[in-house]
Amino acid sequence: MPPHKPYAFVTYRSVESARRALTQLNGQKLQSEENSITLYLSYVNSVTFEEEKSVPLPEGLVLVEEFVSPDEEAVLLAAIDWLSSNEDVTAQKSLKHRRVKHYGFEFRYDNNNVDKDKPLRAGLPDECLPVLERCVKSGLISIMPDQLTVNQYESGQGIPPHVDTHSAFEETIISLSLGAKTVMEFRHPDGRLVPVVLPGRSLLVMRGESRYLWTHGITPRKFDMVPACSPHSPASDLGTNRNLTLSKRGTRTSFTFRKIRHEPCCCAFPSTCDSQGAASAFSPSPSSPPSLPCCHADATRLEEEYVHRVYNAIASHFSSTRHSPWPSVCHFLSLLPAGSVLADVGCGNGKYLGVNPELITVGCDRSNALVQICVERGFQAFVSDALSVPLRTASCDACISIAVIHHFSTPERRLAAVRELTRILRPKGQALIYVWAFEQEYNKQRSKYLKEQIKEHRQNLSPINNTSDDLQEPHGKSQIHTSEHLEDKCRAVDSMQHISKGTNSKLSVHTNRTAFNTQDLLVPCHDTTKTSNTILKAKPENGQVPVFHRYYHVFQQGELEQLCGQVAGVRVCRSYHDQGNWCVILEKD
C-alpha cells in the first residue's frame, strides 16, 4: 500500500471469500455524497511488524500542554487585528501558505533576518504580557522577548522546514499554539525525523540543539496521523504509540516569541550558524561557501541545506517551471506495455506520472511540498529519500530518475542511488536516468541552457528566467550513443579527473547560463513566487528577488555509464546526450 497513507485491514472467514472480494472490489468506485472514492486492495496471508523503538524529542525541546486556559486563548486571538494593515505599526503579510503578522520587529523573508535598527511602532500586545511573565517565572525563558510573529494556518497550509537564523535571535524561542492541533516535524541533518503533535493551547520551547541544529516545519496537508489519546497517552508521543487516528486540521494560530540578538552568535553548532561562517542556501551570495564533503555526515548536512531545504522553499516556483515533459522521457514511457508499474524516484511535481495513462504510476520525492503538489494534481506520490525507497524489491516494471542523482554530493551516495533504483526493478525491467552534463556544448551544438544566455541578454529579462536547469526542455534530436562507446567515454572521464577534486575545496557559485568550470558547485535560483505580498512590500536593498543555491555534481562524459557499471546485475542498454544532460537506459538481468 502507499507508504504513510491510512489504510484498514479486513479479515474473512475463508481464503476463498477473501480472494473473491479482492477480485470483485479492487478498483471499484464508490460515490459518497459529492466525493468519488476508489477502493485499492491488496491480499496478504498474515501481517508482521517490528517493535518500534522510543523516539526521544530533540535535545533542548520542551512541550508544555495546556499552558494557557481557554479564556486566555480567546483573549490572545482577539488581540490580533487581521483587518488592520498599518505596516508602520505592525507588519502584516499574506504568504502563499499562511498569513503573518509581526510585532516589535519585522522579520524579512527576503534575507531571513530582521532590521534591528528599525523597530515597529507597536511593541508586543499587552495581552501577551501575563503569558510571558509566567514563562519567566517558571524558568522557561530568562529574558522577556521583544519580537512576536503570529502565523495563521488554515487547513491544508504549512511552513517549509527551516532553522531560525542564528544571528537574528537569541537562543530560546517559544511558540504558543492556539486553535486546532497540528503536527510539527523536526529533522536532524543526519536524516532523523521526529514528528511532534502540538495540541491547542500548548507551548513549545526550543533551545540548544533543537533551536540551532534541527529544522522544524509543518507539512501542508488537511489531516494528521495522531495518537488516539487516553489519559495515560501523551499527545506528543508519536514514536511508540500504535493507537493512531486521523485528525482533521482546522484553523491554527501560532504566537512565536523571540529576543532580538545584538551580538554575533557563538553557539556550539557552527555548521548551521551564519555568525560563524556557515553559508545559507537562501543568501544572495554565500560569503563562505561550504566545502566538498569529507564524510557521510558532511554529505547529509550539505544536501539538507543546499538541496532539501531549497526545494521545499521554492516548490511552487519550481513546479511552475516544470510544465512540459521532456520528449525523450515521454518516448521511453510510451514504449512501456499497458499495465506496467512505473516508479518515478524524485518525481518533483509529478509531470511524468500522467504522461502514459495506461501505466500504473507512483512517485516519490524528498520534498514534502512537491509531493503535496502531486497529490493535489491527483497523482499517487509519497515522501521518500532516493537512497531508501519504501517499495518492495523487484516490484516495478520500469523506473525513471530525472535530474535527481546529480544532487548527491559523494560518489558513494550517487552509486547507492543507482543501486536503490535497480533494486526495485523486476528482472528485465528498465530504468531511465538523467543527470546534468558538464559538457553543455556537445558535437558542436550548444544546449538550450547556454542558448538562453543570449536570449536573456538580448531581452534583458528579469531574474525569473535565471533559474539554472529550469529551462532545459529538450528540443530536436538527441545525440544517441549505444553501450559500445563506453570504453571511449571512460577514457574521457579519466582525462578530466583533475576537475574539482581538491581536498576540502570550497564549492564555487556558478554563473547561470555559462559553461561549467567545475563539477561540484552551487547554482543560484531566483524564486519570484514570493514577490507579490512579501518582497515588493519589503523593498530589499538590492532590488532582487530571493536567491537560493542548489548543490549539483555535473557529470562528465562517460561518468554516468561508469557509475552504473559498478552495479551488479544490470547493463547499460543505451546512453545519449540530450540538451545538456547525460542519459542512460539500464536493464536488470
Side-chain angles (χ1 to χ4, degrees):
M1 305 304 290
H4 310 301
K5 297 289 184 181
Y7 57 89
F9 287 105
V10 182
T11 58
Y12 291 83
R13 290 190 178 91
S14 69
V15 171
E16 181 185 355
S17 297
R19 287 178 174 160
R20 188 164 64 250
L22 174 65
T23 301
Q24 296 184 6
L25 297 179
N26 188 34
Q28 292 296 313
K29 290 188 176 181
L30 307 178
Q31 197 68 29
S32 175
E33 296 179 351
E34 73 278 6
N35 297 321
S36 178
I37 301 170
T38 303
L39 296 177
Y40 295 96
L41 285 76
S42 292
Y43 181 89
V44 291
N45 288 303
S46 62
V47 179
T48 59
F49 65 90
E50 296 180 1
E51 287 293 338
E52 294 182 0
K53 298 180 180 179
S54 177
V55 180
L57 293 178
E59 183 180 341
L61 189 69
V62 176
L63 180 66
V64 184
E65 297 187 31
E66 298 184 359
F67 189 76
V68 296
S69 67
D71 289 342
E72 288 177 307
E73 178 183 42
V75 169
L76 289 168
L77 290 174
I80 307 303
D81 182 9
W82 292 106
L83 298 179
S84 173
S85 59
N86 188 344
E87 294 196 12
D88 292 333
V89 181
T90 62
Q92 181 171 322
K93 308 295 177 190
S94 294
L95 303 182
K96 181 175 178 61
H97 295 294
R98 64 195 189 281
R99 59 176 178 173
V100 182
K101 207 173 185 73
H102 301 288
Y103 295 82
F105 293 84
E106 179 186 1
F107 186 81
R108 294 273 301 274
Y109 293 99
D110 58 324
N111 59 11
N112 279 347
N113 215 311
V114 293
D115 192 337
K116 301 172 186 178
D117 298 324
K118 295 183 179 179
L120 298 170
R121 283 197 296 168
L124 275 56
D126 292 339
E127 292 84 351
C128 298
L129 296 181
V131 175
L132 296 176
E133 289 169 355
R134 191 156 72 245
C135 290
V136 174
K137 187 176 181 179
S138 59
L140 295 173
I141 56 176
S142 57
I143 51 178
M144 289 290 283
D146 55 8
Q147 195 272 340
L148 166 63
T149 297
V150 181
N151 286 285
Q152 187 177 83
Y153 305 87
E154 301 294 340
S155 176
Q157 296 182 329
I159 184 171
H162 64 282
V163 176
D164 286 56
T165 310
H166 291 206
S167 64
F169 308 108
E170 295 287 351
E171 175 172 356
T172 304
I173 295 174
I174 57 175
S175 185
L176 190 64
S177 293
L178 305 178
K181 75 172 65 171
T182 194
V183 173
M184 179 172 283
E185 295 178 340
F186 286 80
R187 188 179 293 275
H188 192 276
D190 64 11
R192 282 179 287 156
L193 178 67
V194 178
V196 179
V197 181
L198 304 180
R201 299 186 288 111
S202 66
L203 182 74
L204 189 69
V205 183
M206 291 184 288
R207 58 167 68 96
E209 188 174 291
S210 67
R211 148 74 170 110
Y212 287 129
L213 187 61
W214 293 65
T215 64
H216 60 279
I218 298 173
T219 302
R221 55 184 172 229
K222 296 186 177 181
F223 290 87
D224 287 312
M225 291 182 63
V226 302
C229 296
S230 66
H232 305 291
S233 175
S236 59
D237 184 7
L238 276 175
T240 58
N241 197 315
R242 291 193 169 276
N243 187 21
L244 300 176
T245 187
L246 280 178
S247 172
K248 187 174 183 178
R249 285 189 186 173
T251 300
R252 171 182 175 266
T253 304
S254 66
F255 284 55
T256 302
F257 299 94
R258 297 171 286 205
K259 175 67 176 176
I260 297 297
R261 185 191 294 276
H262 294 282
E263 299 293 335
C265 178
C266 55
C267 67
F269 307 96
S271 64
T272 55
C273 182
D274 58 317
S275 291
Q276 301 181 60
S280 170
F282 307 95
S283 61
S285 183
S287 57
S288 179
S291 301
L292 279 171
C294 300
C295 61
H296 174 76
D298 287 348
T300 57
R301 280 193 294 268
L302 175 67
E303 292 162 18
E304 173 67 26
E305 181 79 8
Y306 290 92
V307 182
H308 306 155
R309 289 181 63 197
V310 175
Y311 276 107
N312 263 336
I314 67 172
S316 296
H317 169 66
F318 179 84
S319 180
S320 69
T321 64
R322 297 308 196 277
H323 47 79
S324 300
W326 294 2
S328 296
V329 180
C330 293
H331 179 69
F332 174 84
L333 298 177
S334 69
L335 296 178
L336 298 176
S340 296
V341 176
L342 169 73
D344 185 347
V345 179
C347 62
N349 67 353
K351 71 177 181 179
Y352 294 112
L353 295 177
V355 165
N356 185 346
E358 296 185 339
L359 304 179
I360 301 170
T361 60
V362 61
C364 64
D365 200 279
R366 186 62 169 72
S367 166
N368 48 26
L370 286 171
V371 168
Q372 183 65 27
I373 292 174
C374 290
V375 173
E376 291 171 355
R377 297 176 66 183
F379 298 128
Q380 293 287 342
F382 56 89
V383 178
S384 169
D385 195 300
L387 300 183
S388 180
V389 181
L391 294 176
R392 294 176 185 168
T393 298
S395 60
C396 300
D397 298 292
C399 301
I400 59 174
S401 172
I402 311 301
V404 175
I405 294 176
H406 54 212
H407 286 309
F408 288 104
S409 56
T410 66
E412 294 78 17
R413 292 170 68 80
R414 294 189 284 272
L415 178 59
V418 177
R419 281 182 173 144
E420 182 67 359
L421 196 69
T422 57
R423 177 189 66 80
I424 62 178
L425 272 182
R426 66 163 179 80
K428 299 299 181 182
Q430 290 191 336
L432 173 64
I433 300 174
Y434 265 59
V435 294
W436 213 1
F438 181 87
E439 299 83 2
Q440 289 296 301
E441 186 168 349
Y442 186 74
N443 275 5
K444 299 182 180 179
Q445 293 184 358
R446 294 163 62 90
S447 71
K448 189 183 180 191
Y449 176 72
L450 293 183
K451 291 178 181 177
E452 284 296 328
Q453 180 190 42
I454 301 173
K455 179 180 176 181
E456 286 177 10
H457 179 73
R458 185 184 305 124
Q459 299 181 2
N460 192 24
L461 295 181
S462 67
I464 186 172
N465 295 300
N466 199 15
T467 53
S468 71
D469 58 340
D470 293 353
L471 293 172
Q472 287 191 94
E473 306 294 337
H475 297 281
K477 186 177 179 181
S478 303
Q479 300 297 321
I480 306 298
H481 305 272
T482 57
S483 54
E484 64 191 37
H485 296 91
L486 293 184
E487 184 176 346
D488 292 337
K489 291 189 174 186
C490 290
R491 281 199 294 267
V493 171
D494 293 337
S495 68
M496 298 181 68
Q497 289 297 320
H498 65 280
I499 298 177
S500 70
K501 295 292 186 289
T503 304
N504 197 34
S505 57
K506 295 285 187 179
L507 293 173
S508 63
V509 178
H510 176 60
T511 301
N512 275 315
R513 308 299 175 194
T514 63
F516 297 118
N517 56 18
T518 181
Q519 280 190 269
D520 296 277
L521 38 81
L522 300 178
V523 178
C525 172
H526 297 74
D527 184 359
T528 59
T529 60
K530 296 178 171 52
T531 60
S532 58
N533 293 304
T534 304
I535 304 306
L536 295 182
K537 291 182 180 180
K539 295 180 181 178
E541 294 178 3
N542 58 9
Q544 300 291 317
V545 294
V547 182
F548 301 84
H549 291 85
R550 283 177 285 176
Y551 166 80
Y552 285 85
H553 172 84
V554 290
F555 280 64
Q556 300 170 18
Q557 181 179 1
E559 184 179 353
L560 180 57
E561 294 90 339
Q562 191 179 64
L563 180 71
C564 296
Q566 300 177 55
V567 180
V570 297
R571 68 182 183 91
V572 176
C573 298
R574 180 177 154 203
S575 63
Y576 56 97
H577 187 271
D578 188 354
Q579 284 295 327
N581 298 277
W582 287 117
C583 324
V584 298
I585 297 177
L586 305 177
E587 183 172 288
K588 190 171 183 177
D589 293 342

